[in-house]
Amino acid sequence: MTWLKGIEFAQPGFFWLLLFIPAMIGWYVWRGQKLYAHLNVSAIKGFTVTGKSIAVRLRHSGIVFRSLALAALITALARPQTSLSWQNTTTEGIDIIIASDISGSMLAEDFQPNRLEAGKNIAIDFIKNRPDDRIGLVIFSGESFTQCPLTIDHDVLINLYKDIHYGMIDDGTAIGMGLATAVNRLKDSEAKSKVIILLTDGSNNMGSIPPITAAEIAKQFNIRVYTVGIGTKGFAPYPVQTPMGIQYQRMPVDVDEVTLGKIAATTGGKYFRATDNDKLKSIYEQIDKLEKAKIDVTQYHKKTELFLPFAILALFFLVIEFGLKNTLLKGALN
């Protein structure tokens, strides 16, 4: 039966109790025969023949539902459960850390709605398109920390990504610290391919680790770094809170393309420049196609107990049998 496919029983010995069902049916038939008497008459012409009532038609339904209830109860006692299984498969995937700048300049609105939110939304789409990868998230401004370690649970990662905002840590742009934190998360990975995607819109002005030093460390651990400079050319509108409400100032775009290019070249990665939402999305698509490595994945299927559904089914049959018995009894009395 296809509906039992993939189900196993923890206590199959209880199925021996199913032998009670034919015994119970046999006893019911034997007892029914004992209750009937025989009357011999020469002719039945004087008797009025009427159709069978509903009570007569349903008189044997009780034993049917009682047998079904007993079968369901025995099945429940045998503890049916979906089996715990695993399957080794080879799939395409890499370990990726996204290191995202969340400094105040990321609030500039040359991207829609601003650089930070555009980066979040496009990165989340990137994550959704890579279900086989372990992906983590590092954020940095004046300092850095891990928002989410490497995980295959992308729902958790996406929720944590949505929660990041300006002001979570001290302002500034510590590119070297952000890169070093990302490297620390990948250095023990056994994946055949390890990648960091570093997004920033400024130049390194804080932190104790220079960006090129962090890049050299990444190289030692065979980690490729793809750097993305975010910001339009020239000036960008930046919102400023004033007593008169939000006012916009023209802020110069200061992406250190030379340093970002050196980081990428040192690690065997590539530097990109994103000047708007569409360009940033295109960059993520290019990174998506750049490399994939075959990794072995073991898929597990959790064991789930199915005692309760069968117990409820047994109770259901007993309720029907009890209801029919009362109905037939009332019909007989009337």
Side-chain angles (χ1 to χ4, degrees):
M1 291 178 286
T2 56
W3 66 279
L4 285 176
K5 186 178 181 180
I7 294 179
E8 62 182 26
F9 297 89
Q11 303 291 338
F14 277 100
F15 282 119
W16 286 104
L17 295 177
L18 290 174
L19 294 175
F20 282 103
I21 294 178
M24 183 176 66
I25 294 174
W27 179 80
Y28 175 82
V29 173
W30 177 82
R31 190 190 67 167
Q33 290 176 343
K34 289 293 184 180
L35 293 176
Y36 284 96
H38 298 279
L39 176 65
N40 295 324
V41 295
S42 58
I44 60 172
K45 186 176 180 180
F47 295 92
T48 302
V49 179
T50 61
K52 294 183 178 179
S53 67
I54 188 66
V56 174
R57 294 178 185 275
L58 296 178
R59 68 184 185 281
H60 298 305
S61 60
I63 188 62
V64 173
F65 286 107
R66 207 173 310 144
S67 300
L68 291 173
L70 182 57
L73 181 60
I74 292 171
T75 304
L77 292 173
R79 288 183 59 198
Q81 50 195 216
T82 55
S83 59
L84 175 63
S85 60
W86 56 89
Q87 180 182 9
N88 292 320
T89 60
T90 299
T91 184
E92 300 288 330
I94 57 179
D95 279 357
I96 301 172
I97 290 289
I98 299 175
S100 180
D101 188 346
I102 63 166
S103 59
S105 57
M106 290 289 286
L107 299 179
E109 296 184 9
D110 47 349
F111 286 63
Q112 296 301 319
N114 57 46
R115 295 173 185 172
L116 180 58
E117 291 301 320
K120 286 166 57 175
N121 295 335
I122 295 171
I124 286 172
D125 289 338
F126 172 80
I127 293 167
K128 290 178 179 179
N129 289 330
R130 299 188 68 94
D132 297 323
D133 295 327
R134 291 199 309 165
I135 305 177
L137 174 62
V138 166
I139 60 175
F140 66 92
S141 53
E143 52 187 344
S144 68
F145 73 89
T146 303
Q147 176 77 348
C148 180
L150 287 170
T151 180
I152 199 67
D153 190 343
H154 292 176
D155 290 335
V156 171
L157 172 62
I158 289 171
N159 286 333
L160 289 172
Y161 210 148
K162 289 179 179 178
D163 287 341
I164 67 173
H165 57 272
Y166 166 67
M168 293 178 68
I169 46 181
D170 293 339
D171 202 8
T173 306
I175 297 175
M177 293 295 292
L179 180 55
T181 302
V183 170
N184 187 52
R185 282 296 173 180
L186 281 173
K187 64 183 178 64
D188 296 324
S189 168
E190 297 181 358
K192 295 179 181 179
S193 185
K194 297 175 282 188
V195 168
I196 294 173
I197 303 173
L198 187 147
L199 300 94
T200 183
D201 67 344
S203 346
N204 190 76
N205 56 28
M206 293 190 72
S208 57
I209 302 178
I212 302 304
T213 301
E216 292 288 349
I217 298 172
K219 181 181 178 181
Q220 295 299 316
F221 288 105
N222 297 316
I223 299 171
R224 272 178 289 278
V225 182
Y226 295 96
T227 53
V228 182
I230 300 178
T232 188
K233 304 288 185 178
F235 293 84
Y238 184 80
V240 177
Q241 182 66 52
T242 70
M244 303 298 293
I246 298 292
Q247 301 291 327
Y248 286 90
Q249 295 181 356
R250 284 170 55 80
M251 180 182 71
V253 178
D254 181 28
V255 179
D256 189 352
E257 295 191 279
V258 174
T259 298
L260 294 178
K262 287 181 179 179
I263 292 172
T266 300
T267 61
K270 188 174 181 180
Y271 168 67
F272 302 91
R273 179 64 185 271
T275 54
D276 55 37
N277 292 54
D278 292 336
K279 183 63 176 176
L280 181 58
K281 183 176 181 180
S282 174
I283 290 170
Y284 268 109
E285 290 172 352
Q286 291 180 61
I287 295 173
D288 183 50
K289 297 175 183 177
L290 276 173
E291 61 175 299
K292 288 181 179 174
K294 291 184 178 180
I295 58 173
D296 293 329
V297 177
T298 301
Q299 297 178 339
Y300 291 92
H301 301 281
K302 187 178 180 181
K303 184 178 293 187
T304 304
E305 294 281 351
L306 300 175
F307 171 86
L308 187 59
F310 282 95
I312 293 175
L313 186 62
L315 181 61
F316 173 74
F317 287 133
L318 286 176
V319 168
I320 292 179
E321 192 267 339
F322 180 77
L324 285 172
K325 182 184 291 185
N326 284 345
T327 301
L328 295 176
L329 182 60
K330 289 179 180 179
L333 293 175
N334 292 334

